[in-house]
Structures are given as structure tokens and as C-alpha cells.
Amino acid sequence: MSRFAADLKPVLRLFFAERRRALLLGAALSAATVTAGIALLGLSGWFITATSLAGLSAAAITFDVFAPSAGIRLLAIVRTAARYGERLTTHDATLGVLAALRERLFRGFAEPGAARALLHRPARLLFRLTADIDALDSLYLRILVPAAVAIGATLAASLVLGLMHPLFGLFFGLFLAGAGLGLPLIAAWAARKHARRRAHGIEALRSRTIDLVAGQTDLLMAGRLAAQRSAMAAADHYTGRADDRLNRIETGLTFGFGLVSTLLLTASLVSVAALAETKVITAPVAALGLLVAFAAVEPFAALRRGALELGRTLLAAKRVAPRLAVAAASEPLATPLPGCAFSLADVSAFHENSAVPALQGIELTLQQGERLAVIGSSGAGKSSLLALLSGELPASSGSVAATRATLLMQRTELFEDSLQGNLALANPEASEARLLEALAASGLLADVEAMPRGIDTLLGEGGLGLSGGQSRRLTLARLFLRDTPLWLLDEPTEGLDGATARDVIQRLSTMAAGRSLVIATHIRREAAIADCIAVIEGGRITEVSRRGEAAFEKALDRLRPD
């Protein structure tokens, strides 16, 4: 239970931080709707019974029909208005809270460590932003509000019936609260495993469907199309079995509510009949009590859906909660000494959930305006060093001082947007003229001007519509829009043909005049523009050489030729 509370705490905190007044107002209007409904049914029963009895006696002349009629009309208006206001308020508040949840969750996943983890499982973010957030919709609308309203209705009904006879009100309230809350809790406990299985099954089905659609050509060529369809069918069958179990539990819960309602109403009928026979209450009051008891049972039926979705809701809260906490702002890297681009002194660093250090005992310094090539085999620590200098990978020990940097990764995302929109990500305040200058500097301006819509040309998903070389030039133009003194480049020409790669390197070298460069590479043409070369092996810097030294030329000869 404490674990569930810990998972729900950040979600509930965000709920009330975003729309506290609207959520409380919605709950109050929901309670007003139920209370007005109970009062309307009870008063109507009393009025009909009292009118019938008055018509059979001489009291018909003096019987006041106007006050009860006005009360019934007032309650009907209050119930209708409260119902309308409750639906409007609760749904508006819920949608607002869900929007805030998505924003906070996206910001949590946009943190450097989380963003890198998502590269390995990109579908996770989609499921968290959609399925899990949608599951939390039930927390307020189908669990918290119905439970609070049902308890309030029980107290109100117990008070009314207690005025007729204290024991009648007490036993009615205890039985209704115990059975009305107990049955949903039992159903929620029984359904929790199946609700989670259903959520996992739906995720698996969606993920495998996306894989089939996106990779059908590769699957067909590998002869795995039938296997992928079988995997989808298995996920669908798994989900179907969970649905079947949930439907059975819902049927049992419905039967249980029906049985409890029948027992409670039968007991209430016997009780009011006995009280009326002993003249403790009159026949109209007996009708009022019976109908109040009948109406008080209704709010508990609203808990049926919430009970079945409680397991799914708790699973969603458990998944989402860790990313909802506002992360403490990371400390900026220390400012290096004047004239220095960065300095690393005995630095070690670990990737998240890794016991093996990515970097160990790094000692490295770069002067402002100098260019450094970091070479080594795959997994040696080149990208980790760039992540350290950009502030994405925190140091576990040692001292790190670096100027403001821009990191150009080997794989840069392009979005389904215009060329201008993709460029503006690097500098939202840049004018169109500045964007065109960046395109010209990257060598892409002539291609853009040849397009019918120019810089307003729309790209498809992942930059569809541009060739590989054009895509790389576009990301290079983004880099040129970043006015930072240190540029960090991770294999900037990987995958390009020789002519395009040499042109990109030449343009990059020209635009980097006055700036410091760090290039992680295993290609000779990229390292050839450097002033010094650092060799990294197993997360350690094993050698640093400068241009003009024999070790520098030897290091270049180790690299892959153009």
C-alpha cells in the first residue's frame, strides 16, 4: 500500500497543483448532483404518498401542495444544473491536467540521460504519453470522485434514516459503506493482474504492428513476415484473454451490487414497515426513507468501472511518476581559465545503470581556437567524452571546466516540418536572412532555391524528401546557427560520399574560424583539420600529439582513408 501511495503521490500533487479549484469544484458539483437526486426522489415519494393519504381524509382541504411542489421543482433544477456543471467542470479540469501531465512527462524524458535511454526504446515515450496518460484519466473521474461522492451519499442517507430511528441509520450506513466499498476493492484486487496484462498486451500489439508496417520490406526479404504476423496474433490473443477475465470480474461485480442492493432494499422495506406499524413514523415518511435508501445505493455503481481500471491506473502511475518529479537544475560546468576552451583533470564518469566507467582518469586541455580530434575504436569512449564536455554526462570524480558548447551527434533528427522550421530549432530568433546564410554556408542554398517552395518546403517524417547528403548539410546549417565558442562533432561526415564529405569538412573548417573544435572520428579526412589528436582506449587517454610531431602523422595513418 505504501508503494502505491508513493507512486500516486507525484501524480496527485500535479493534479492539484494544476487545477486544484476546478477539481474540487467538480467534486462538489458531483456531490450536489447525487445529493439533489436523493432528496428529489425522497421528497417525491413523500409528496405522492402524503397527497394520496390526504385525499382519502378530510385533511385534503388544508393540505399544502405548493411548498413540496416548489421543493421538487427546485431540486430538479439544482440536479440538472449541477449535473451539467459537473460534467463541464470535471472534464475540462481532467483534460487540463492530462495536458500538464504530458508536458511534464515530455520534459522529464527530454533530460539528457533519459533522452539517450529512449534512443534504445523509442516506443516507450509514445506509450507513456498516450496509453499511460489516458489511464490516469480514470484516477479522478472514475475512482476519486465516485468514491468521495458515494461516501458522502452514505453519510447523508444514514443521517436521514437515523432521524427516523438511530439504529436504522447506523446499520444502513455501515452495511452500505462496507459492501459498497468492499465489493469494488475485492474486484480491483482480482482485476489488477489482468488489467496490467491487458496494458502490456496492447503495448506489445501496437509495437509489433508498427514494426510490421515500418519494416515490412526487410521482414519480407528475410522471410520473417509470417513470424511477425504470428507475434501480432499472439499479442492479440494475450490481450483478449485479459479482456475476457476482466469482463468476468465485471459481471461478478455487477451481480454482487445487484445482490447487495436487493438485500439492502429488502431490509430497508422491512424496517420502515415495522417503524410505520409501530407509529414511530408515518406512511409518507416511510416512503421517503425507502426511496432515500434506494437512491443512496446508486452512487456505488459508478465505482464499478474504476475498480476494474485501478490496476491499469496504478501501473501507469508507477511508470509515469519517476519522470514527473521536477529534476533539480544541473549545475553548469565550471568556466575554464581565460584562453582555454576546456580542461579536464583526473575525470571519471559512468553511464546510467552501468558499473563499468565510460571514462577513467581523463587529463586533457584545449586552448581557445584549437581543434582536437579524438580517435579510437568503437566503444573506446569518444562519444562519452563529447557528452561529458556538453554537460550530458556528469563526472563522478575529477574536475571539468568548459565553455558553452554545441554537440552535433552522428544521428541528428529531422522533423515533419518545413525546412525553415527544422532550421529554426537551432535558433528560434534567427531571421530568414540568417537562415539563408546558414544554408549557403553549408552548401544547401542552391538546392533549396531550386525547390518550388524554397525554404518553406515541407519535409516528411525523418526528413523524407532530402538525400543523405542534403540532410547532413541541413544539420550542419543548424550547427552554424549556434553561436557557441566550442563545437563538438561526432563523426560529422559518416555515411557521405568522398566528394560531399570533403566539401562538408571544408565548409565546417571555414565556419569554425575562431572557435574550438572537438571531433570524434575514425576517418582521416576529419582528423586532418585538427591541431592535435588524442587517442582514447578503454575510456582512458593514452596519447596526445600535436601537428608537426611524428606521433601526429602516425595517428593519422591509423585512421580509415577517404
Side-chain angles (χ1 to χ4, degrees):
M1 185 62 70
S2 60
R3 184 185 64 193
F4 293 155
D7 293 336
L8 288 175
K9 187 176 180 180
V11 177
L12 293 176
R13 184 186 297 118
L14 182 61
F15 267 46
F16 288 99
E18 290 293 328
R19 296 292 185 94
R20 179 189 300 272
R21 292 184 180 179
L23 294 174
L24 294 177
L25 177 60
L29 288 173
S30 183
T33 301
V34 172
T35 303
I38 295 174
L40 176 62
L41 192 59
L43 181 58
S44 299
W46 177 89
F47 182 56
I48 292 172
T49 306
T51 303
S52 301
L53 294 177
L56 298 176
S57 64
I61 300 176
T62 60
F63 185 75
D64 183 11
V65 299
F66 297 105
S69 298
I72 290 173
R73 290 180 181 179
L74 176 62
L75 289 172
I77 293 173
V78 169
R79 184 174 182 272
T80 303
R83 171 68 70 185
Y84 176 78
E86 176 257 335
R87 292 296 174 89
L88 193 65
T89 304
T90 55
H91 285 75
D92 177 69
T94 302
L95 292 175
V97 167
L98 295 184
L101 273 172
R102 284 191 174 93
E103 180 188 3
R104 182 71 65 83
L105 184 61
F106 188 86
R107 290 181 182 276
F109 275 115
E111 294 174 4
R116 286 184 175 273
L118 280 178
L119 291 176
H120 302 287
R121 298 185 64 184
R124 177 179 293 182
L125 176 59
L126 176 63
F127 293 141
R128 299 298 172 268
L129 289 174
T130 55
D132 286 342
I133 295 296
D134 289 341
L136 293 175
D137 181 359
S138 302
L139 181 61
Y140 174 72
L141 289 178
R142 294 171 182 165
I143 298 175
L144 296 180
V145 170
V149 170
I151 293 173
T154 301
L155 293 175
S158 299
L159 179 62
V160 172
L161 299 180
L163 294 176
M164 301 178 189
H165 194 283
L167 290 179
F168 181 27
L170 177 62
F171 284 116
F172 175 87
L174 291 176
F175 183 81
L176 179 59
L181 295 178
L183 286 176
L185 287 176
I186 293 173
W189 182 84
R192 74 191 192 287
K193 180 172 64 176
H194 306 297
R196 292 180 178 182
R197 286 181 175 177
R198 182 178 182 274
H200 290 307
I202 290 176
E203 285 192 10
L205 182 59
R206 289 178 178 176
S207 179
R208 293 170 187 178
T209 302
I210 292 172
D211 288 342
L212 175 64
V213 174
Q216 54 185 316
T217 302
D218 293 333
L219 290 170
L220 181 62
M221 294 178 65
R224 299 293 298 172
L225 203 57
Q228 186 67 17
R229 290 198 300 265
S230 298
M232 290 172 57
D236 184 59
H237 180 65
Y238 183 86
T239 306
R241 283 190 300 169
D243 274 328
D244 181 62
R245 294 301 183 101
L246 289 173
N247 288 335
R248 292 183 182 184
I249 294 173
E250 184 177 11
T251 301
L253 181 58
T254 302
F255 175 78
F257 270 129
L259 181 61
V260 168
S261 299
T262 301
L263 292 175
L264 193 60
L265 292 177
T266 301
S268 298
L269 178 60
V270 172
S271 299
V272 297
L275 292 174
E277 185 179 0
T278 56
K279 307 299 181 182
V280 175
I281 58 175
T282 62
V285 174
L288 181 148
L290 183 62
L291 292 175
V292 165
F294 177 78
V297 177
E298 181 183 359
F300 286 91
L303 287 171
R304 181 178 60 193
R305 183 72 181 275
L308 297 178
E309 294 190 359
L310 182 60
R312 174 172 169 245
T313 302
L314 291 175
L315 176 62
K318 181 180 180 180
R319 289 169 163 179
V320 168
R323 293 296 173 191
L324 292 182
V326 179
S330 57
E331 292 291 331
L333 297 179
T335 303
L337 295 175
C340 187
F342 70 79
S343 68
L344 307 177
D346 194 24
V347 174
S348 296
F350 291 79
H351 288 298
E352 188 176 3
N353 300 324
S354 175
V356 179
L359 300 171
Q360 306 181 62
I362 299 295
E363 296 277 353
L364 194 60
T365 301
L366 185 69
Q367 298 301 312
Q368 186 63 42
E370 286 189 328
R371 301 173 181 184
L372 169 70
V374 182
I375 66 173
S377 59
S378 296
K382 300 189 299 295
S383 297
S384 298
L385 181 60
L386 296 186
L388 179 75
L389 293 172
S390 65
E392 289 194 359
L393 180 64
S396 58
S397 63
S399 171
V400 180
T403 58
R404 291 186 306 113
T406 297
L407 173 62
L408 178 64
M409 301 176 65
Q410 182 178 349
R411 182 176 179 271
T412 305
E413 295 294 339
L414 296 178
F415 298 93
E416 189 174 351
D417 196 355
S418 65
L419 282 166
Q420 182 171 1
N422 274 279
L423 275 175
L425 289 173
N427 187 355
E429 299 179 358
S431 63
E432 184 172 335
R434 180 73 181 90
L435 299 181
L436 294 175
E437 289 176 6
L439 289 173
S442 67
L444 190 59
L445 182 59
D447 293 340
V448 172
E449 289 178 338
M451 297 176 182
R453 299 183 59 183
I455 199 172
D456 295 321
T457 299
L458 294 176
L459 302 181
E461 184 178 354
L464 187 64
L466 297 178
S467 66
Q470 288 174 328
S471 297
R472 200 56 181 168
R473 289 181 187 275
L474 181 58
T475 59
L476 196 64
R478 277 183 181 169
L479 176 68
F480 295 162
L481 289 169
R482 299 289 297 172
D483 188 19
T484 55
L486 176 61
W487 285 353
L488 309 172
L489 313 174
D490 193 354
E491 301 184 11
T493 65
E494 178 66 27
L496 301 181
D497 62 87
T500 302
R502 285 189 290 273
D503 182 66
V504 167
I505 284 293
Q506 180 59 42
R507 293 176 181 277
L508 180 61
S509 179
T510 301
M511 292 298 294
R515 288 187 173 85
S516 301
L517 285 184
V518 180
I519 305 176
T521 183
H522 56 267
I523 305 176
R524 183 184 179 94
R525 63 172 173 256
E526 295 178 349
I529 68 171
D531 300 309
C532 50
I533 295 178
V535 180
I536 188 168
E537 295 178 0
R540 295 179 181 274
I541 299 291
T542 59
E543 178 184 302
V544 177
S545 58
R546 304 189 69 83
R547 183 176 295 278
E549 298 177 357
F552 185 91
E553 295 300 326
K554 185 178 179 181
L556 283 179
D557 292 338
R558 293 172 52 184
L559 300 176
R560 192 179 79 195
D562 292 354

